[in-house]
Amino acid sequence: MTQPTLDHETVRKPFLPKVPAPPGARIDPAWHIPGDEECFSLWDKFEMFENVRRHSMTVAEVATCVAQRGLEHGYDVNVRLIRASALLHDLAKTYSIKFGGNHSQLGGAWVQDLTGNPVLASGVTHHVYWPFDIDLNKYFHQLAVLYADKRVQHDIVVGVEPRFDDLIKRYGTTDLIASRIRITKTQAIEVERTFDEALGITLNECSFDSGRME
């Protein structure tokens, strides 16, 4: 089946309004980057469901591996920032399940308020869909979080294909929603291909077992 083309103007509407592109690779030393324990405390504060915690932990492990590989290949990467953004990417999931709303937008706003770190927060805001250039030199941090989320089904690392098969089954309740999910799948494949070429590895073959690319 032919993959749908990426139509940013169509896809972005359910995820975010038109906004300026987030900060690129530059990380201000003054911006706060929470460690694991602080992230776990925020999970408690926002009453994150246990299954969402397990998912977030696995996403963080995948994102950390990608970040470390990027650092080894000369990218200007802050591994700790990527890990924190991944740990917090679903911070608003519990709230949105209980009360509604877009969990990525809401979570990004919370994380910006809590940390004052726009790069970390934009990784949360845009972990579902990336409406800007797929440019690892500028946006490695945010794209690593997005990609890691697309590799974790519940709390198990899977390929992009089975991850999106599951999303279609669970959330593709209308033709419109299913179409949007397929477009985000096309983007996830594009992001994976970009990382493959940049990092010299076939990520789809990586199990990320015990924090390793193997």
Side-chain angles (χ1 to χ4, degrees), residues 75-151:
Y75 283 90
D76 184 12
V77 172
N78 187 308
V79 177
R80 189 164 177 258
L81 184 147
I82 289 175
R83 183 174 180 84
S85 190
L87 285 171
L88 299 176
H89 81 282
D90 272 350
L91 189 65
K93 191 76 168 182
T94 299
Y95 182 94
S96 68
I97 290 171
K98 289 181 176 180
F99 305 110
N102 185 306
H103 79 284
S104 58
Q105 291 182 44
L106 183 58
W110 287 353
V111 170
Q112 175 62 37
D113 184 59
L114 290 161
T115 69
N117 189 325
V119 174
L120 194 158
S122 62
V124 176
T125 302
H126 303 302
H127 77 267
V128 175
Y129 178 77
W130 183 252
F132 309 106
D133 295 338
I134 298 177
D135 183 342
L136 298 185
N137 288 305
K138 290 171 61 178
Y139 302 123
F140 194 108
H141 299 84
Q142 298 94 332
L143 291 168
V145 176
L146 179 146
Y147 177 69
D149 180 60
K150 301 303 182 285
R151 289 296 307 274

Side-chain angles (χ1 to χ4, degrees), residues 9-214:
E9 292 306 312
T10 298
V11 178
R12 70 186 301 150
K13 288 181 180 179
F15 301 134
L16 75 160
K18 286 188 176 181
V19 294
R26 185 188 66 84
I27 307 297
D28 190 321
W31 292 341
H32 180 57
I33 302 174
D36 284 17
E37 292 304 319
E38 186 175 347
C39 291
F40 300 156
S41 294
L42 291 173
W43 290 1
D44 292 338
K45 179 179 180 179
F46 290 93
E47 301 178 346
M48 186 183 285
F49 290 143
E50 182 59 35
N51 64 311
V52 181
R53 293 176 189 235
R54 293 194 302 270
H55 169 78
S56 298
M57 194 71 234
T58 308
V59 169
E61 294 300 333
V62 174
T64 300
C65 286
V66 173
Q68 290 170 338
R69 183 87 175 191
L71 194 63
E72 293 167 1
H73 278 68
Y75 283 90
D76 184 12
V77 172
N78 187 308
V79 177
R80 189 164 177 258
L81 184 147
I82 289 175
R83 183 174 180 84
S85 190
L87 285 171
L88 299 176
H89 81 282
D90 272 350
L91 189 65
K93 191 76 168 182
T94 299
Y95 182 94
S96 68
I97 290 171
K98 289 181 176 180
F99 305 110
N102 185 306
H103 79 284
S104 58
Q105 291 182 44
L106 183 58
W110 287 353
V111 170
Q112 175 62 37
D113 184 59
L114 290 161
T115 69
N117 189 325
V119 174
L120 194 158
S122 62
V124 176
T125 302
H126 303 302
H127 77 267
V128 175
Y129 178 77
W130 183 252
F132 309 106
D133 295 338
I134 298 177
D135 183 342
L136 298 185
N137 288 305
K138 290 171 61 178
Y139 302 123
F140 194 108
H141 299 84
Q142 298 94 332
L143 291 168
V145 176
L146 179 146
Y147 177 69
D149 180 60
K150 301 303 182 285
R151 289 296 307 274
V152 180
Q153 181 177 319
H154 307 301
D155 58 352
I156 304 297
V157 177
V158 298
V160 171
E161 291 281 349
R163 170 72 161 124
F164 276 89
D165 288 346
D166 177 66
L167 290 174
I168 288 287
K169 288 177 183 176
R170 287 195 289 149
Y171 301 116
T173 53
T174 68
D175 289 343
L176 178 60
I177 294 173
S179 176
R180 286 171 173 163
I181 292 172
R182 291 188 183 98
I183 290 175
T184 60
K185 173 185 174 181
T186 299
Q187 183 183 73
I189 293 170
E190 183 181 351
V191 170
E192 181 174 70
R193 186 182 304 117
T194 301
F195 274 120
D196 284 353
E197 294 173 356
L199 305 183
I201 193 169
T202 304
L203 286 171
N204 191 55
E205 297 177 359
C206 295
S207 66
F208 300 98
D209 182 57
S210 302
R212 299 188 301 273
M213 284 188 166
E214 56 179 31

